[in-house]
Amino acid sequence: PASGRFDCHVVEPGRAVPSLEEDVREGLLFAPRSLPPKYFYDARGSVLFDRICETPEYYPTRTEDALLARCADAVIAEARPDHVIELGSGASRKTRHLLDAVERAGLRHCRYWPFDVCEPMLREAGERLLARHPWLRIDALVGDYLAGLDGLPRPEGRRLFVFLGSTIGNFEPQQARDFLAGLAACMGGRDSLLLGADRVKDPSVLEAAYNDAAGITADFNLNLLRVLNRELAADFELGAFRHRAVYDPSLQRIEMHLVSTCDQVVKFGHLGESLRLEAEEPILTEISRKFTRGSVDQLLHDAGLTAFAHHEPENGYFSLIHAQL
Ligand code: AVJ
């Protein structure tokens, strides 16, 4: 008989989360223009992101998935977790490798705590996982993990925190350090963190990954304008912008922009503001930092953590770093 079950808990933000309106006023109305990448992920954007992961050019997801399949037993042997807490769990597709390894290690008492903003996604993922692991107890956490770390439950026992997908690469250095330091503050001496980080590599490989031939990344980027049109009654013309993603080797990051193709004025009905854009003026919509073994170790160190195991494929395209206090 199944002992597994699914429960949902709301995590209150420990600090104020800026609204889309505030982010637009802060980031978009004045040059240099930018928006936080979290607004990509409405229903349509989430589907587009899944399709990006299927393109031949976008290697990170499948590389991390294969790597995790290969090293999950080692990670579970290193962590011996009583709880797996995943920040930004999404569909929990890659995490199933960890839970498979938990099962193989005979740790069926181990509980899974997926943390994400989207409750329907958590429920769907939970059902799939319970079908695969009927013994599993899932305590889904609904909230913004950037603001909700203080509200994290602190169950007794050893906790394995998981932060995959190289999402850490979407943060500016200071923000990445603060986030990891906040996580370190939640951790005790027996806990550990498994961090996924995409690696520096041939720029042509990196740029191809963010400029897939089928144009799905371009659609994903442009979809941000749809979100603004819907949420703030803006009148962006998607045809008056083009997608651009370029690798900056000095900053070791992909910079993704929406570039205005003409002089234009965009109105925000809900803000009573308009945005004047010149031809070729860019809006920075995402950075995606790429790491070396050294730079990711340094980042963890600066956050008060120590990497003790570094898992990577033969081509060195991606890293899963296991760290502790
Ligand atoms: C997987 C969210 C980290 O930076 O590669 C994919 C998202 N953006 N293509 C990344 C993304 C454009 C992404 N993250």
Side-chain angles (χ1 to χ4, degrees), residues 35-203:
L35 272 180
K38 66 176 177 184
Y39 298 115
F40 284 131
Y41 302 93
D42 68 343
R44 183 178 196 136
S46 299
V47 169
L48 286 169
F49 177 67
D50 285 348
R51 290 179 53 203
I52 288 173
C53 297
E54 303 287 314
T55 64
E57 296 93 340
Y58 193 75
Y59 63 85
T61 307
R62 72 175 64 91
T63 306
E64 185 182 39
D65 187 80
L67 177 59
L68 197 53
R70 206 164 50 81
C71 72
D73 287 314
V75 169
I76 293 304
E78 289 153 12
R80 303 295 301 169
D82 301 306
H83 304 274
V84 174
I85 304 173
E86 180 170 19
L87 308 173
S89 52
S92 300
R93 266 188 291 262
K94 288 170 286 200
T95 326
R96 82 188 140 84
H97 298 304
L98 283 176
L99 298 172
D100 289 352
V102 162
E103 184 170 320
R104 285 192 293 268
L107 301 174
R108 288 183 176 215
H109 66 281
C110 181
R111 285 160 72 163
Y112 178 48
W113 305 75
F115 191 174
D116 212 288
V117 279
C118 182
E119 182 171 337
M121 177 120 88
L122 284 165
R123 290 191 178 276
E124 218 177 282
E127 258 167 53
R128 245 195 328 270
L129 286 172
L130 280 176
R132 191 180 178 94
H133 304 295
W135 50 270
L136 187 62
R137 270 202 67 167
I138 303 175
D139 289 280
L141 304 169
V142 186
D144 181 330
Y145 63 80
L146 277 178
L149 285 184
D150 295 331
L152 274 186
R154 299 184 183 224
E156 285 294 309
R158 251 193 294 272
R159 295 165 294 186
L160 170 60
F161 292 88
V162 181
F163 191 48
L164 299 179
S166 200
T167 305
I168 194 69
N170 295 142
F171 301 163
E172 295 282 352
Q174 180 68 52
Q175 197 190 3
R177 213 159 29 237
D178 291 349
F179 171 69
L180 292 174
L183 202 47
C186 299
M187 290 168 62
R190 302 177 338 139
D191 301 336
S192 60
L193 165 68
L194 186 68
L195 176 70
D198 196 18
R199 296 273 292 273
V200 169
K201 59 183 63 64
D202 186 332

